[in-house]
Amino acid sequence: MEQRSYNQYCATARTLDLVGERWTLLLIRELLTGPKRFSDLQASLRGLGTGLLAARLKHLEREGLAEKITLPPPARTPAYALTEAGAELESAILALARWGLKWAMSEPHPTETFHPGWAVLGLRACFNAEAATGLRAVYEFRIGEEFFHTRIDDETIETLHGPAQHPDAIITISEQEFLRLTSQGRTFAEAIETGVASATGDKQALRRIKGLFHLPPPSARKSDR
């Protein structure tokens, strides 16, 4: 498949030459939360055919943004992981997510798919570092059947798929209610306060969650004038 180019000697154009094709940034989004098998990527990116997925992965490998690895025991299966160059796209992906939360989100469309696991990266995008000053805690989130956790360490955040070994607090919410939170720009703290979500664990960790994640309310891109 021939790679298209803007043919401009410009950093923005050169970057878009590398990651501007359809599905490419979403592939990087998936790999930002850790190595993935080909089947994992297929499951997360419905609508992306097998042939095109293989082509996009080859492109990322060829351009030095991703590489093939073998997962450690007990899996020992082939997977894909970001290189240093690919991982440095995280700030750009998170900036796009923050913009989208404010200017592109609304009620989900009937044809749109959703995976609670996408919130793993979403928590990084919504993280309020100032509110985490002096905090060291592990939060486990259970959205429907999906488990993931985040580790807060004094203004830094790490988010990972799967349950935490020793969580300080556990927040549980249904997939439907989580979708409602996202579309309305509400937070986990508000969901807990209204009883939409349940929370157990260390009381201090639960009190601190109120300011940790900020979802901007959706805004109209066009003025009423």
Side-chain angles (χ1 to χ4, degrees):
M1 184 180 297
E2 184 179 353
Q3 181 179 338
R4 293 181 290 185
S5 173
Y6 288 102
N7 291 315
Q8 294 182 8
Y9 188 63
C10 161
T12 303
R14 284 280 187 94
T15 303
L16 289 174
D17 283 347
L18 295 175
V19 300
E21 292 282 359
R22 191 166 183 253
W23 294 106
T24 303
L25 281 178
L26 293 184
L27 266 174
I28 293 171
R29 178 199 68 186
E30 295 300 311
L31 295 175
L32 279 171
T33 58
K36 301 289 188 301
R37 298 169 299 178
F38 191 93
S39 58
D40 296 329
L41 294 170
Q42 275 188 308
S44 295
L45 298 171
R46 295 179 186 175
L48 176 57
T50 302
L52 186 55
L53 173 57
R56 290 288 183 265
L57 287 170
K58 286 181 180 178
H59 167 75
L60 292 177
E61 286 185 85
R62 184 171 60 249
E63 298 297 343
L65 299 176
E67 60 187 352
K68 288 180 181 176
I69 65 167
T70 299
L71 293 176
R76 298 183 186 276
T77 56
Y80 293 87
L82 292 176
T83 62
E84 180 183 0
E88 283 197 8
L89 285 164
E90 177 176 348
S91 57
I93 300 289
L94 294 183
L96 284 171
R98 294 185 191 102
W99 185 92
L101 285 168
K102 181 177 181 180
W103 297 106
M105 295 297 281
S106 58
E107 294 295 327
H109 301 155
T111 56
E112 289 181 322
T113 60
F114 170 73
H115 291 282
W118 290 336
V120 175
L121 201 61
L123 287 178
R124 296 185 207 172
C126 300
F127 179 57
N128 180 4
E130 291 183 2
T133 302
L135 175 63
R136 287 177 175 83
V138 176
Y139 297 89
E140 180 175 293
F141 296 90
R142 302 176 179 180
I143 302 178
E145 298 181 358
E146 188 91 26
F147 285 42
F148 55 90
H149 65 280
T150 181
R151 187 181 306 276
I152 309 293
D153 187 1
D154 192 20
E155 300 188 16
T156 64
I157 184 172
E158 179 184 23
T159 55
L160 298 166
H161 287 283
Q165 289 188 346
H166 302 290
D168 295 291
I170 298 174
I171 295 89
T172 305
I173 188 171
S174 70
E175 185 173 322
Q176 183 179 3
E177 290 297 340
F178 178 72
L179 271 172
R180 188 172 289 114
L181 286 184
T182 304
S183 64
Q184 296 175 357
R186 297 167 61 202
T187 64
F188 281 112
E190 291 174 298
I192 295 169
E193 290 173 356
T194 58
V196 170
S198 63
T200 59
D202 181 76
K203 291 183 179 179
Q204 182 179 359
L206 289 172
R207 282 197 299 269
R208 293 292 297 272
I209 199 174
K210 186 169 185 177
L212 288 179
F213 305 104
H214 173 68
L215 274 171
S219 299
R221 294 190 298 273
K222 297 180 179 179
S223 66
D224 293 333
R225 292 177 295 178

